Amino acid sequence: MSGIYSGLQAKIKAVSPLAQFVPCSAHSLNLVGTNAASSCKNAVMFFDLLQKLYTFFSASTYRWDILKSSIKSLSDTRWSARDDACKSLNNNWKLIINALENLKNDKSQKPATRCEANGVLQKLLSLETAFMSILWGHLLERFNLSSKRLQSVDMDLVKVAEIYQSSICYVNDLRTDSEYEYYKKLGIEKCGIEDFVSTKKRTKNRKTFIDDGPATDNSNAIDFKVTTYLAILDRIQAELIKRKNAYDELNKKYQFLFCITEITTVEVREKAAVLQQIYKDDLGKTFPNECVHFRAHILSLKKMKKIVPGTAQDLLTFIKVNNLIELYPYVDIALRMLLCTPTSNCSAERSFSALKRVNNYLRSTIGIERLNSLAMLNIESKLTNELQYDDIIDEFANQQARKKL
């Protein structure tokens, strides 16, 4: 759909060459997690196990009652569901193991059920699964909270790039040996197993000498660290960097406005001239000189020890509050162009989802005006819940009254 050659992006640019394609920041972050979840065999097996746990217990009300807790299912479109599933596994770890052991030893169950419970239990009781549940629990929690922040209405391209950069630094900090040992220690405490499952079919017998100490085989731990732990983190980091570069490219044209006091007037004029050449119809030829004046204005605030606006939203608010639009009209336009650039389409998609829930097959003959009203009430549910219905009902009843006293 967003193909650069024959997709919707290309068709829109054919009509409006200045239109900028901005990938949805929340969906891009979900794609980072999706690619990381398929980066290695152990990651794929872990999420398959999560789904298998839900499928096994939800297939029977008897099994669900034995579980005495809740397990969440995965979702292909809603990545936060994976965070819920991983969180439910970590919070109910012992209850899930006890339920599987009870089903495995329950002779009243069918042999196939007991065998399936034993198979799931054996996969669950491994250092790999415990390690992955803790690691993915931390990663998915950060991803989920970042995704919710990216969907907020006050988000702009600069803040998106900052969140992606913070995620890159966070993942990079996890690549150390100390962090790996930390997660390994937590995994051992969780499952009680100290060794990883061997992935080698044959063991090599090394020739020993008299002065050699006792042989220690750490090949399984090293193999898991390289092929699983580092593979997941490297894929996440690479995907985050690739997507952050797209937002940096979009921010490059406006970057000088945020560091306008840190660069020289010559650089301000050059960068402002580049932006003015791109948007000739929106920004006048006096835009570079106006930016130099705006730079001096911000520097004067520093000298007077007043609060200096730092973000794009703060700069625009500063111009509006102090009635400086006539003084800096093109700076105001440039900032509004940046802030009006959408960073996520999740709100629009939720609106369509609400419309689908309202206009179902039972309301196939509903009118457009009423459909719009019901959809608006559903979309703005927070405001709808705050309404005082008594006054509205009384007003409606008075309008529909058949008799007037």
Side-chain angles (χ1 to χ4, degrees):
M1 181 177 179
S2 60
I4 191 173
Y5 298 110
S6 59
L8 182 60
Q9 176 187 173
K11 295 183 181 298
I12 293 177
K13 283 193 172 183
V15 178
S16 178
L18 293 179
Q20 292 287 337
F21 171 71
V22 182
C24 176
S25 56
H27 285 101
S28 295
L29 190 61
N30 289 348
L31 290 175
V32 171
T34 302
N35 293 332
S38 59
S39 60
C40 62
K41 182 180 71 174
N42 283 326
V44 175
M45 292 174 61
F46 172 72
F47 285 107
D48 287 344
L49 178 61
L50 282 181
Q51 185 61 33
K52 194 170 185 178
L53 278 171
Y54 176 80
T55 304
F56 176 74
F57 283 105
S58 62
S60 169
T61 55
Y62 176 76
R63 301 177 198 173
W64 197 266
D65 292 337
I66 291 179
L67 180 60
K68 297 179 181 179
S69 62
S70 62
I71 298 180
K72 303 296 183 180
S73 175
L74 302 182
S75 175
D76 294 331
T77 56
R78 186 169 170 265
W79 185 255
S80 60
R82 295 178 182 256
D83 177 39
D84 297 335
C86 194
K87 189 179 297 183
S88 64
L89 174 63
N90 289 325
N91 294 338
N92 305 311
W93 179 269
K94 293 184 179 180
L95 293 175
I96 294 172
I97 291 177
N98 292 335
L100 290 172
E101 289 179 346
N102 292 334
L103 290 170
K104 182 188 71 171
N105 300 323
D106 190 355
K107 296 183 179 180
S108 63
Q109 295 294 314
K110 295 180 181 179
T113 302
R114 297 174 61 188
C115 182
E116 186 177 1
N118 183 49
V120 175
L121 181 61
Q122 293 302 320
K123 292 181 180 179
L124 197 61
L125 289 176
S126 64
L127 182 55
E128 287 85 351
T129 302
F131 187 102
M132 296 288 281
S133 67
I134 298 171
L135 174 64
W136 277 111
H138 290 178
L139 290 174
L140 291 174
E141 180 195 15
R142 293 293 93 201
F143 277 20
N144 189 27
L145 294 176
S146 298
S147 179
K148 290 180 179 179
R149 181 68 183 98
L150 290 170
Q151 298 174 35
S152 58
V153 295
D154 62 338
M155 187 59 56
D156 56 62
L157 291 174
V158 179
K159 294 179 182 177
V160 169
E162 291 175 355
I163 291 177
Y164 270 80
Q165 182 60 42
S166 66
S167 300
I168 292 171
C169 296
Y170 168 70
V171 174
N172 188 56
D173 291 340
L174 296 181
R175 294 191 78 262
T176 59
D177 294 336
S178 59
E179 287 294 322
Y180 170 75
E181 294 297 332
Y182 168 75
Y183 283 109
K184 183 180 177 181
K185 179 182 177 181
L186 292 180
I188 293 173
E189 293 175 355
K190 188 171 188 176
C191 66
I193 300 173
E194 298 184 357
D195 298 323
F196 292 101
V197 177
S198 176
T199 57
K200 297 182 179 180
K201 296 182 179 179
R202 297 176 59 185
T203 57
K204 295 181 179 180
N205 295 324
R206 177 178 172 272
K207 184 178 179 180
T208 59
F209 298 92
I210 297 176
D211 56 345
D212 286 347
T216 57
D217 186 13
N218 295 325
S219 58
N220 295 335
I222 296 174
D223 181 68
F224 181 83
K225 178 182 178 181
V226 174
T227 61
T228 301
Y229 181 72
L230 294 180
I232 293 173
L233 297 181
D234 288 344
R235 174 61 70 87
I236 293 175
Q237 191 173 22
E239 294 292 334
L240 286 172
I241 292 174
K242 181 175 71 174
R243 283 159 173 78
K244 178 183 176 295
N245 290 338
Y247 297 108
D248 287 340
E249 190 66 26
L250 293 168
N251 285 325
K252 187 183 297 184
K253 300 189 296 290
Y254 304 93
Q255 195 68 37
F256 72 97
L257 290 172
F258 314 124
C259 57
I260 196 168
T261 59
E262 301 173 4
I263 57 179
T264 63
T265 56
V266 176
E267 292 176 320
V268 171
R269 290 183 187 276
E270 291 177 353
K271 296 180 183 297
V274 172
L275 184 61
Q276 190 272 331
Q277 287 297 318
I278 297 175
Y279 301 104
K280 295 180 180 179
D281 297 335
D282 301 301
L283 303 176
K285 294 182 179 180
T286 60
F287 177 62
N289 194 44
E290 184 180 308
C291 290
V292 174
H293 188 188
F294 186 68
R295 173 182 179 274
H297 197 139
I298 300 299
L299 286 174
S300 65
L301 294 177
K302 287 186 176 181
K303 292 180 180 179
M304 291 185 290
K305 297 182 179 180
K306 293 185 178 181
I307 299 176
V308 178
T311 64
Q313 184 67 49
D314 293 338
L315 290 171
L316 186 61
T317 303
F318 171 76
I319 294 175
K320 296 283 186 182
V321 171
N322 294 280
N323 297 321
L324 299 175
I325 298 178
E326 294 182 358
L327 185 60
Y328 308 113
Y330 295 126
V331 173
D332 176 71
I333 292 174
L335 290 172
R336 284 192 285 116
M337 288 168 58
L338 173 62
L339 293 173
C340 290
T341 304
T343 61
S344 174
N345 59 359
C346 295
S347 299
E349 290 188 0
R350 280 195 291 267
S351 300
F352 282 111
S353 299
L355 193 64
K356 185 178 180 181
R357 288 193 295 269
V358 173
N359 190 19
N360 55 26
Y361 72 96
L362 295 175
R363 302 190 185 99
S364 58
T365 59
I366 191 172
I368 297 297
E369 184 178 355
R370 188 182 182 192
L371 179 62
N372 291 337
S373 301
L374 292 174
M376 185 61 66
L377 290 173
N378 192 306
I379 294 168
E380 302 294 343
S381 58
K382 291 183 179 180
L383 297 177
T384 304
N385 294 330
E386 296 176 358
L387 294 176
Q388 298 296 329
Y389 291 104
D390 294 337
D391 297 337
I392 298 175
I393 292 172
D394 293 340
E395 183 180 354
F396 178 79
N398 293 331
Q399 291 178 357
Q400 300 296 325
R402 299 295 181 183
K403 296 181 180 180
K404 294 184 178 180
L405 299 178

